[in-house]
Amino acid sequence: MRYAVFSDIHSNLEALETVLEALRKEEVGRYFCVGDIVGYAADPKACIKMIRELDCVTVCGNHDWAAADLIDYSYFNVYARAAVDWTKTQLDDPEKDYLKALPLKYEDEEITLVHGSLERPEEFDYIFAEADAARTLDLCRTKICFIGHTHSPARFTKGGRRLVNVGSVGQPRDNDPRAAYCIYDTDTGTVEIKRVKYDIRKAMNKILDAGLPEILAYRLLEGS
Ligand SMILES: [Fe+2]
């Protein structure tokens, strides 16, 4: 079966709609989201609605938990903090309850999902280095684990297990502004990271109109 795995939507509805449209042509059997549905861009409510309607297995990201008041986000940078504060004003209790109920990790017979690391999922550590990836792979019980959080696609292996960072739908940071998603074929074991162009200008204008920090709009153009 073909699985769709994606992460870090960050309230970017234009990017999410474009990815889901691309996925409709991919003949995927299941959908998985590796967290951070909200934060940064201007459509938290619509993005939550879309993910809920998708019947998508979803784990929480640090921005989801911050918007649901489950973590102290005073350590976030000033722009991320401003975005969480604004996001909280946009969400009603049912959406906050949905975010609160998202698990820190997901595991079945085939795959594991965690936003940051398996070492301390609740701390949302970033995995950039091989050594950090190796510690999560040591804790992984399935042949493949998908992560997000850094907003840059990456792949690591250890002892026959694979760790795949699927990049970001709504705020890529690998100097490619196109939305990212992953297709995992459980029969062949193939992992493909794909990119699609979306209406960045429209997402930018919504961020600016909402009064969110301007940098959150302009960084979308660079994918940085
Ligand atoms: Fe994120």
Side-chain angles (χ1 to χ4, degrees):
M1 187 184 283
R2 281 158 68 80
Y3 288 177
V5 192
F6 52 83
S7 189
D8 295 274
I9 298 156
H10 283 297
S11 304
N12 187 334
L13 183 63
E14 286 67 36
L16 179 60
E17 281 175 339
T18 304
V19 163
L20 295 186
E21 200 179 299
L23 286 173
R24 277 191 276 277
K25 298 169 198 150
E26 295 273 7
E27 297 180 355
V28 295
R30 294 182 75 188
Y31 293 90
F32 298 88
C33 173
V34 200
D36 275 0
I37 302 170
V38 301
Y40 294 133
D43 281 302
K45 231 176 160 72
C47 288
I48 290 173
K49 184 168 185 277
M50 199 163 265
I51 291 298
R52 293 186 78 169
E53 287 172 356
L54 190 61
D55 189 19
C56 181
V57 173
T58 306
V59 295
C60 65
N62 50 321
H63 285 254
D64 302 320
W65 268 26
D69 274 325
L70 283 180
I71 53 168
D72 171 10
Y73 58 97
S74 57
Y75 72 95
F76 281 21
N77 71 50
V78 62
Y79 309 116
R81 267 202 323 268
V84 174
D85 288 341
W86 180 86
T87 300
K88 284 162 68 174
T89 69
Q90 303 298 305
L91 300 181
D92 295 314
D93 286 344
E95 285 127 9
K96 287 182 183 169
D97 290 344
Y98 168 75
L99 295 178
K100 273 182 195 161
L102 292 176
L104 279 163
K105 68 173 184 178
Y106 169 82
E107 182 188 279
D108 61 23
E109 324 71 56
E110 280 176 320
I111 71 167
T112 302
L113 307 178
V114 67
H115 190 64
S117 80
L118 283 177
E119 262 189 303
R120 305 184 301 172
E122 71 287 355
E123 296 292 328
F124 301 103
D125 296 322
Y126 290 90
I127 293 181
F128 287 109
E130 292 279 350
D132 297 327
R135 285 199 297 277
T136 277
L137 283 167
D138 285 341
L139 294 167
C140 182
R141 294 185 292 192
T142 56
K143 58 190 172 188
I144 191 160
C145 175
F146 293 96
I147 59 171
H149 200 28
T150 68
H151 298 203
S152 294
R155 298 175 193 228
F156 306 90
T157 56
K158 189 184 179 195
R161 296 187 197 280
R162 288 186 288 171
L163 184 63
V164 176
N165 189 318
V166 297
S168 170
V169 171
Q171 195 196 76
R173 295 180 190 160
D174 59 342
N175 301 311
D176 181 345
R178 296 174 300 167
Y181 65 92
C182 172
I183 300 290
Y184 173 53
D185 189 316
T186 57
D187 298 327
T188 62
T190 314
V191 171
E192 291 174 276
I193 303 288
K194 300 196 171 188
R195 306 300 284 256
V196 279
K197 282 187 179 171
Y198 72 95
D199 192 343
I200 292 179
R201 289 281 172 190
K202 191 171 174 187
M204 286 176 66
N205 286 334
K206 285 184 179 178
I207 290 169
L208 297 172
D209 289 347
L212 284 157
E214 289 183 5
I215 189 173
L216 299 179
Y218 294 113
R219 70 185 304 173
L220 296 181
L221 276 180
E222 311 293 330
S224 63

